[in-house]
């Protein structure tokens, strides 16, 4: 297209922002792009480039065409992988196979939940099912497995493989093994049947765990009914209302939302049985042992040691936190001062607010979305020499008009990849913050070029208004930094193989880069570079940031203990069968690892949807936070904008994706190999008052 329409677009863009920003005149192009409503060019002759620039996806029917092309290429690569001589070419064929299917399946996996058009969602869902079926067949293809096995069992051939190629070959072999490829025909068919059954059970549990519970209106006080959705003579309770100041409302929501559903209970029990059967069938002691192979923790025994030691070291602080909550409840409600599970989130919030005055509305004017994006751009520029550049999308490239496209550009390496920012709330969009890999990076032998990664960041932020840009609470800002940590993990990796690109690594390592970003998001030396009032340009006062950081430590032990309880429950559920109900297990673990009483006729585990995606791995958040804490306090607390340390972090941790053992990456960054006690001490130390200041003083 000619330059004049683009120039016209930019002029209109700038004039709109001049009206919105009022007195502030110093936003960078990235900041301005996110603080103004996008103006789309209307060009009737512009060619539809298709979703994410994939030409076939200019209409829903294109998913079928893209699927068929991917499956045709799969057949060709399958033949090549089975017939070539054992060596690097074999692994490259496997990776191309994986890449061809993932490029369609991952894109479809995103579109099926994010596209506003049901026709696109349905077409994407069909693609996911079709490709998922093919992947299951490939994972049980004996000839394909033999070609890989011939490579790994031949010591002469294996010795010639570079470390990355050998690791990727071993990871592919692991995928075969957990699918039962090494079993005889009869047992392999059983493994496939269990896989298929688990897909259905996982889906059923995931959907049902979010379905509201109904109760007759007459069963609850009339003055509480207005807080819930009405359905004739019933009300629907679809959440815990944990932040409500009304004790009775929190209790009613807790008891009804968590009331056991017999069908869902049966689904969970059957799901856990199937996972155990499958793990045993393919040679593991439990599903937990199968799930934790290749992680930092390695096995369930290490995870439980970590969680038990953390519980012991937090015990006094946790008891103190619960006593503070009891005192606060007694102050607020003298007639009913017993501390209950529905009180924890609310009372910890009250204690933080009372002690530090951290009302989110006081912070939001300083945290416009554009300012935060500008802050991220500055941070990445100083740490890695990387810039975020707003790019105008082609016609049909986006699934919604409010999505922004960013090119990630390195000062010497050039274009690294693309981040699509789907940040704003819309109807039918999942209310969750997450990172999607649309296309993984890899070195393409066939083109002699690097395949650039493409990711989507999904948030659910309010839209800008006529008088103000989108303003973030501190929590929203931290979530933005967290998700951008995942995105930069994808962008800054330059792995040879797509199978291990970016966040395709061990779960307990994948969260480290994102959690580390939360430390940058709460350091005043970083915040002061971008947090300024959207109307006056005044910077966010340092005292407000200090109060926010200290407030996080209030009830921090109790909050961590709650996460420990969830993680322990996840481990026990995925260990050896207990011959008792999941509720009985929950009751015992809640008493042992949490401390607040179990409420009869409730089944919190039926709302624990993380059991699906994080089965036996829920501990990952705690372990990743421990590693991120060590990296921050050893490498960045002295100077969070240190370029040399940023380069080291990229070189030792971000660059490898899953191509290197996670603990080796941690060891490379910290220059030592941490143990369980180090992880625990890192988490406990964070709760000390002025911990970062103390650390800086002690090291200076």
């Amino acid at each position: 297209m000619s330059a004049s329409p683009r120039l016209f677009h930019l002029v209109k863009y700038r004039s709109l922002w001049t009206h919105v920003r009022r007195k502030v005149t110093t936003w960078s192009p990235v900041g301005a792009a996110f603080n103004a409503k996008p103006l789309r060019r209307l060009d009737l002759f512009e060619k539809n480039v298709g979703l994410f620039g994939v030409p076939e996806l200019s209409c829903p029917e294109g998913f079928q065409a893209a699927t068929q092309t991917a499956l045709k290429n799969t057949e060709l690569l399958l033949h090549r992988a089975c017939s070539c001589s054992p060596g690097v070419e074999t692994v490259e064929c496997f990776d191309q196979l994986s890449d061809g299917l993932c490029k369609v399946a991952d894109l479809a996996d995103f579109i099926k939940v994010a596209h506003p058009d049901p026709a696109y969602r349905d077409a994407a869902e069909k693609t996911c099912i079709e490709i998922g079926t093919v992947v299951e067949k490939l994972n049980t293809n004996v000839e394909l497995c033999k070609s890989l096995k011939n490579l790994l069992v031949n010591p002469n051939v294996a010795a010639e493989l570079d470390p990355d190629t050998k690791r990727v070959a071993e990871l592919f072999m692991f995928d075969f093994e957990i699918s039962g490829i090494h079993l005889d025909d009869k047992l392999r068919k059983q493994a496939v049947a269990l896989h298929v059954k688990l897909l259905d059970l996982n889906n059923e549990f995931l959907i049902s765990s979010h379905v509201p519970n109904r109760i007759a209106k007459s069963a609850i006080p009339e003055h509480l009914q207005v807080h819930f959705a009405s359905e004739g003579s019933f009300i629907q309770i679809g959440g815990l209302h944990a932040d409500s100041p009304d004790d009775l409302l929190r209790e009613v929501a807790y008891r009804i939302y968590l009331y056991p559903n017999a069908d869902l209970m049966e689904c969970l029990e059957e799901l856990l049985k199937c996972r155990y059967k499958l793990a045993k069938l393919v040679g593991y002691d439990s599903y937990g042992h199968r799930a934790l192979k290749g992680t930092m923790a390695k096995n369930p025994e290490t995870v439980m040691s970590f969680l038990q030691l953390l519980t012991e070291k937090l015990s006094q602080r946790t008891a103190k936190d619960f006593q503070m909550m009891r005192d606060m409840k007694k102050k607020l409600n003298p007639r009913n001062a017993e501390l209950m599970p529905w009180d924890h989130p609310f009372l910890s919030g009250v204690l933080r607010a009372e002690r530090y005055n951290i009302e989110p509305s006081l912070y939001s004017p300083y945290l416009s979305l554009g300012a935060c994006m500008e802050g991220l751009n500055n941070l990445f520029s100083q740490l890695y020499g990387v810039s975020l550049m707003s790019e105008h999308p082609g016609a049909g490239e986006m699934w919604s008009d409010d999505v922004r496209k960013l090119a990630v550009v390195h000062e010497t390496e050039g274009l690294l990849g693309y981040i699509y920012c789907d940040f704003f709330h819309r109807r039918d969009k999942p209310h969750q913050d997450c990172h999607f890999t649309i296309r993984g990076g890899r070195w393409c032998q066939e083109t002699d070029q690097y395949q650039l990664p493409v990711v989507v960041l999904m948030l659910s932020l309010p839209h800008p208004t006529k008088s103000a840009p989108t303003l973030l609470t501190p929590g929203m800002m931290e979530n933005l930094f967290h998700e951008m940590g995942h995105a930069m993990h994808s962008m800054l990796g330059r792995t040879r193989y797509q199978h291990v690109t970016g966040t395709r690594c061990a779960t307990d390592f994948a969260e480290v880069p994102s959690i580390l970003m939360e430390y940058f998001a709460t350091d005043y030396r970083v915040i002061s570079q971008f947090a300024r009032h959207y109307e006056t340009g005044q910077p966010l006062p340092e005292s407000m940031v200090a109060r926010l950081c200290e407030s996080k430590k209030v009830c921090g032990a109790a909050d961590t203990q709650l996460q420990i309880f969830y993680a322990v429950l996840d481990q026990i559920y995925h260990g050896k069968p207990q011959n008792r109900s999941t509720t009985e297990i929950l009751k015992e673990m809640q008493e042992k690892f949490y401390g607040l009483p179990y409420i009869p006729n409730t089944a919190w585990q039926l709302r624990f949807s993380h059991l699906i995606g994080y089965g036996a791995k829920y501990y990952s958040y705690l372990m990743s936070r421990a590693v991120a804490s060590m990296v921050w306090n050893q490498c960045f607390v002295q100077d969070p904008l240190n370029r040399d340390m940023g380069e080291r972090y990229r070189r030792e941790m971000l660059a490898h994706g899953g191509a290197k053992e996670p603990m080796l990456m941690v060891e490379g960054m910290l220059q030592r190999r941490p143990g369980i006690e180090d992880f625990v001490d890192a988490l406990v130390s964070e709760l000390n008052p002025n911990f970062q200041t103390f650390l800086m003083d002690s090291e200076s």
Side-chain angles (χ1 to χ4, degrees):
M1 297 300 297
S2 65
S4 45
R6 182 176 291 271
L7 178 63
F8 177 62
H9 163 72
L10 289 172
V11 169
K12 287 180 72 177
Y13 201 121
R14 192 170 294 138
S15 63
L16 173 68
W17 177 238
T18 302
H19 170 71
V20 174
R21 69 187 175 183
R22 299 165 82 176
K23 297 178 184 176
V24 178
T25 58
T26 56
W27 298 113
S28 71
V30 167
F34 282 86
N35 267 355
K37 290 185 177 181
L39 289 175
R40 301 294 183 207
R41 288 179 301 172
L42 184 60
D43 188 339
L44 299 176
F45 301 101
E46 190 172 2
K47 184 182 176 183
N48 189 321
V49 300
L51 290 169
F52 295 103
V54 179
E56 295 95 328
L57 302 184
S58 57
C59 62
E61 295 74 24
F63 270 103
Q64 188 57 30
T67 303
Q68 291 311 308
T69 300
L71 296 184
K72 197 177 289 183
N73 289 336
T74 296
E75 287 297 322
L76 295 172
L77 287 165
L78 180 59
H79 174 74
R80 190 172 137 210
C82 292
S83 59
C84 68
S85 300
V88 174
E89 187 185 353
T90 310
V91 182
E92 288 172 352
C93 281
F94 269 79
D95 195 60
Q96 285 179 49
L97 256 174
S98 173
D99 182 56
L101 293 171
C102 284
K103 274 195 287 199
V104 180
D106 289 345
L107 193 158
D109 204 39
F110 169 72
I111 292 298
K112 77 177 183 182
V113 299
H115 206 293
D117 185 344
Y120 268 102
R121 294 201 300 268
D122 291 346
E125 175 69 36
K126 287 174 184 170
T127 287
C128 287
I129 293 169
E130 194 168 351
I131 290 187
T133 304
V134 171
V135 169
E136 286 298 322
K137 287 179 180 176
L138 289 173
N139 282 340
T140 53
N141 185 309
V142 177
E143 288 302 310
L144 190 61
C145 180
K146 275 183 185 174
S147 69
L148 193 62
K149 199 168 186 179
N150 290 340
L151 171 78
L152 290 170
V153 298
N154 186 324
N156 294 327
V157 176
E160 291 179 4
L161 300 179
D162 61 273
D164 285 4
T165 301
K166 188 176 182 185
R167 178 165 171 81
V168 169
E170 289 169 347
L171 290 170
F172 276 121
M173 183 55 74
F174 174 64
D175 290 339
F176 279 124
E177 288 172 355
I178 63 174
S179 299
I181 194 75
H182 53 293
L183 304 174
D184 61 37
D185 286 347
K186 183 182 176 184
L187 293 178
R188 191 161 61 248
K189 283 177 183 174
Q190 285 182 30
V192 171
L194 283 169
H195 266 293
V196 172
K197 187 175 181 181
L198 276 170
L199 286 173
D200 291 337
L201 288 169
N202 289 347
N203 197 43
E204 181 185 343
F205 184 81
L206 204 53
I207 292 169
S208 301
S209 65
H210 295 291
V211 173
N213 274 342
R214 288 199 321 161
I215 191 170
K217 284 183 177 177
S218 57
I220 67 169
E222 191 174 340
H223 74 280
L224 296 181
Q225 294 175 16
V226 294
H227 296 283
F228 306 112
S230 183
E231 190 184 87
S233 60
F234 292 88
I235 59 168
Q236 287 192 341
I237 298 184
L240 293 173
H241 291 255
D243 295 329
S244 171
D246 189 322
D247 289 2
L248 184 57
L249 176 62
R250 295 197 306 275
E251 179 178 353
V252 165
Y254 189 96
R255 289 183 182 275
I256 298 172
Y257 184 60
L258 299 183
Y259 190 80
N261 175 301
D263 291 338
L264 188 53
M265 186 74 77
E266 188 180 332
C267 173
L268 177 59
E269 305 273 4
E270 188 60 26
L271 187 155
L272 295 174
K273 280 180 192 171
C274 280
R275 284 182 168 178
Y276 178 72
K277 278 183 191 174
L278 180 60
K280 289 294 286 183
L281 191 61
V282 299
Y284 292 90
D285 288 345
S286 70
Y287 185 83
H289 287 87
R290 173 185 182 264
L292 296 178
K293 185 174 177 180
T295 61
M296 283 196 292
K298 300 288 189 189
N299 55 60
E301 292 78 19
T302 302
V303 174
M304 286 303 293
S305 295
F306 167 61
L307 297 173
Q308 285 169 335
L309 184 59
L310 185 53
T311 296
E312 289 167 18
K313 292 213 174 185
L314 285 176
S315 60
Q316 289 186 335
R317 296 176 195 236
T318 303
K320 191 176 176 183
D321 285 354
F322 282 142
Q323 189 56 51
M324 281 197 305
M325 291 183 209
R326 286 188 187 94
D327 294 343
M328 177 55 73
K329 188 171 183 183
K330 190 174 182 180
K331 181 178 169 184
L332 296 174
N333 189 354
R335 289 178 299 175
N336 184 17
E338 186 181 359
L339 188 63
M340 304 301 279
W342 52 78
D343 295 323
H344 179 160
F346 171 70
L347 292 177
S348 58
V350 169
L351 285 162
R352 288 185 190 107
E354 181 184 70
R355 195 170 297 182
Y356 290 105
N357 187 25
I358 50 162
E359 169 57 42
S361 62
L362 298 174
Y363 290 81
S364 292
Y366 298 93
L367 301 174
S368 70
L369 177 57
C372 294
M373 293 304 296
E374 188 172 297
L376 285 162
N377 189 33
N378 290 340
L379 178 62
F380 297 148
S381 175
Q382 290 170 87
L383 283 181
Y384 315 121
V386 162
S387 297
L388 306 176
M389 297 187 176
S390 183
E391 190 164 296
H392 192 86
E397 188 176 345
M398 307 299 206
W399 51 99
S400 178
D401 281 348
D402 56 12
V403 177
R404 312 292 208 276
K405 180 183 180 183
L406 294 176
V408 181
V409 182
H410 189 273
E411 59 192 17
T412 58
E413 297 169 36
L415 182 62
L416 296 181
Y418 294 101
I419 303 171
Y420 289 81
C421 301
D422 188 353
F423 283 171
F424 300 103
H425 173 79
R426 64 175 174 274
R427 192 181 171 191
D428 295 332
K429 176 183 172 181
H431 189 79
Q432 58 188 39
D433 297 344
C434 46
H435 163 275
F436 292 85
T437 297
I438 303 299
R439 184 176 73 196
R442 74 179 181 97
W443 181 257
C444 301
Q445 296 292 331
E446 56 275 31
T447 61
D448 202 31
Q449 288 184 323
Y450 198 81
Q451 176 173 287
L452 298 177
V454 175
V455 304
V456 173
L457 293 190
M458 182 188 280
L459 306 176
S460 194
L461 303 176
H463 286 270
T465 65
K466 288 182 179 177
S467 58
T470 292
L471 303 178
L472 277 56
T473 64
M476 289 175 182
M477 187 264 280
E478 278 189 48
N479 286 350
L480 170 62
F481 272 62
H482 178 102
E483 298 304 333
M484 193 60 82
H486 285 309
M488 294 308 288
H489 195 180
S490 294
M491 295 294 118
L492 291 173
R494 272 299 179 265
T495 54
R496 179 174 174 182
Y497 297 103
Q498 173 271 160
H499 193 62
V500 290
T501 187
T503 56
R504 288 177 182 161
C505 56
T507 309
D508 56 4
F509 182 82
E511 291 297 327
V512 172
S514 52
I515 292 173
L516 183 63
M517 283 296 293
E518 295 175 24
Y519 290 88
F520 287 99
T522 51
D523 188 287
Y524 189 70
R525 292 163 294 181
V526 176
I527 294 175
S528 62
Q529 292 201 333
F530 68 87
R532 53 199 189 279
H533 200 287
Y534 76 98
E535 289 182 300
T536 66
Q538 289 298 308
L540 178 64
E542 185 172 2
S543 59
M544 289 178 67
V545 178
R547 290 204 307 270
L548 190 65
C549 291
E550 286 304 304
S551 73
K552 292 173 184 293
K553 298 170 187 175
V554 177
C555 299
D559 293 345
T560 301
Q561 196 59 53
L562 181 58
Q563 293 301 311
I564 293 170
F565 160 52
Y566 296 159
V568 167
L569 194 65
D570 177 43
Q571 286 301 305
I572 304 298
Y573 282 167
H574 290 101
K576 293 182 179 178
Q578 298 275 311
N579 298 318
R580 54 188 176 143
S581 73
T582 55
T583 302
E584 288 172 321
I585 295 170
L586 178 138
K587 183 179 178 182
E588 183 189 334
M589 293 305 117
Q590 184 163 333
E591 288 170 359
K592 188 175 179 182
F593 285 97
Y594 185 30
L596 297 187
Y598 165 77
I599 306 302
N601 295 316
T602 63
W604 178 85
Q605 73 274 22
L606 300 184
R607 300 296 184 181
F608 192 14
S609 58
H610 278 88
L611 285 172
I612 303 306
Y614 282 80
K617 297 179 184 177
Y618 191 79
Y619 77 93
S620 294
Y621 289 108
L622 286 168
M623 192 165 277
S624 292
R625 181 164 292 281
V627 173
S629 175
M630 284 189 275
V631 171
W632 172 259
N633 284 301
Q634 185 174 314
C635 305
F636 290 107
V637 77
Q638 297 282 1
D639 179 5
L641 304 172
N642 185 296
R643 178 66 180 269
D644 289 340
M645 201 55 76
E647 293 291 352
R648 177 168 139 194
Y649 175 52
R650 181 187 181 187
R651 183 176 65 250
E652 297 291 348
M653 295 184 83
L654 297 180
H656 306 287
K660 195 172 180 180
E661 276 218 34
M663 195 56 86
L664 289 177
M665 291 189 272
V666 175
E667 188 177 354
M669 188 66 196
L670 298 177
Q671 305 288 288
R672 64 189 176 94
R673 194 177 186 87
I676 293 301
E677 289 222 12
D678 296 309
F679 293 148
V680 169
D681 288 344
L683 292 173
V684 173
S685 297
E686 287 210 324
L687 300 175
N688 293 333
N690 302 314
F691 171 60
Q692 290 182 6
T693 304
F694 167 76
L695 193 73
M696 289 169 68
D697 290 342
S698 68
E699 289 186 351
S700 58

